Amino acid sequence: MSVPDGELSPGQLSRRQMFRRAGLLGAGLSAAGVLGTPGLAAAESATTRNQGGREPRDGYLWLAGDHHIHTQHSSDGIYRVIDHVRHANAYGLDWMVITDHGGATHAKIGVDKVNPDIVAARALVKDTLVFQGLEWNIPAAEHGTVFVAPGRNEVSTLKEFENSFDGSVKNAGSSTPQNEALAIAGLNFLADAVRRRRVDDALFLANHPARKGLDSPHEIRGWRDAQPSIAVGMEGAPGHQAAGIPKPHGPGSGRGFYDSTPGADSWPGYPAESYKTFGGFDWMTATVGGLWDSLLTEGKNWWITANSDSHSVYADTSDRGPNSNFDANGRYDDPIYKGIQNLTAGDFWPGYYSRTHVGAQGYSYGAVMDAIRQGRVWVDHGGLISGLVVRARTAGKGQRGVTLGDTLHVRQGDKVELAIEITLANQPNWAQFVPTLARVDVIQGDVTGPASDKDVFTTPTTKVVQSFEVGKNSGTVTFTYMLGAVDRPVYLRLRGTDGNRSAPGLLGASVDPHGPQIDVFGDADPWKDLWFYSNPIWVLPRR
């Protein structure tokens, strides 16, 4: 999408004029690598994503989105809502959720004040769905996205939720049984709001779940089990993916700003490496046979996403509105053009690097929320692939089968196959190179039912069962994984990589021979280590 000069803010227009004077606009700001600067030039060099239309594929509209974005209404944000929405739209997102931080000021006035900006953005940018949500300080735990379907009660519902159940507002951050119960009460409130039709829908997803070790396994299970239609998943990959770019070109921190060590409220069972990312993904997702798989082994529908967590964009030249009084006004003044690139910022614009693709049955707010809840989701970094269609089906019977998040029911002993169709990257990403997919891994685990230990975070049956070398860099590739005769409940999920940084998984090479490497603190170029992940498909034999 091309944004006319007349629709830009003064700061954006000034940056564009600077790039024009430098002869950069339209030529791409830099080659691949740490200097792949996000900016309007890249946005304008994009193909017009919607000219081809949102064509159904495998029966669904696969809509890219981001459920974790902060604005000037957030205590640590800068940008206007419309700034984020226009960038997200230009970078190819179909839906997005504004999630300013929960807290006393936000709960008091911020929830109200951001709504008119969101409503205006919905009217101005009609081909990106803009949800209102907030980043919940989960009592006794980390942060989470909470959002609701648009409607006349979206503000009042979010405001009552935040005032009643936010860990910061209620001074309920410490890991106590009472605070854990308050988190469950918050989820029950959302479910009740939907049941009573106060709002059409509501969802919760845990954000950066392993960053500080605060989300214990039993809390995650507790959220999901309390309200499985509301608490549906977690960030498989955190935002802040530019944070690991080495100094002096970047922040020189942990990728995703995963730079913590255990604290007083951290769950003591987590190992030291859980505080780091692996190929940009959270340890809970990246470890084959780890915490995510232990939930899937139980048969729990717990999905993963990938988001920007965008607060302050890497290499952007904006600055917070001067002389702002956030506590008094519930917002910072509009950003200004500073004229100096901020290379200490660790975020990308929504859609610039991390994308969550959901298989929606239409282009609507309700369809996006339903797709997330059903688990028709795959995620990628850096535009590693352009499309993914996966089907599990009974082999040799001409069935269409089922897709991500769904369950294939078969007769015991039936032979089952997993059909994979991947559209390889077909245009440069925002660092201005076309990614190459090198390998696709099929990960399989047994479904063994509820765990007796609610804090277990490994499972012994899950492993990489087959790897496919791609061997080409354009067009479409197809693979088939043969499960053979199915005699027990299993699940299957996919992972793919550019092959630049792999190592045996944390549970050993026999489980995961070529998993993501642990990211190097202060030296992690996100563009040189790309992965995609899918949510699972279940296969259940009838006895």
Side-chain angles (χ1 to χ4, degrees), residues 388-393 417-422 440-442 468 476-481 493-494 532:
L388 175 66
V389 173
V390 189
R391 285 271 164 186
R393 61 196 178 206
E417 64 184 18
L418 186 72
I420 307 162
E421 178 183 304
I422 300 172
V440 177
D441 299 318
V442 180
F468 299 99
T476 299
V477 292
T478 59
F479 307 105
T480 302
Y481 168 62
R493 63 181 179 92
L494 297 178
F532 83 81

Side-chain angles (χ1 to χ4, degrees), residues 136 139-140 165 176-188 219 223 226:
W136 182 28
F165 304 105
T176 66
Q178 293 78 10
N179 291 341
E180 291 184 9
L182 183 63
I184 299 297
L187 296 172
N188 291 340
E219 286 175 283
W223 304 332

Side-chain angles (χ1 to χ4, degrees), residues 370-387:
D370 180 65
I372 295 172
R373 177 176 291 108
Q374 298 303 321
R376 289 191 297 272
V377 176
W378 60 273
V379 304
D380 79 299
H381 279 164
L384 177 59
I385 60 175
S386 296

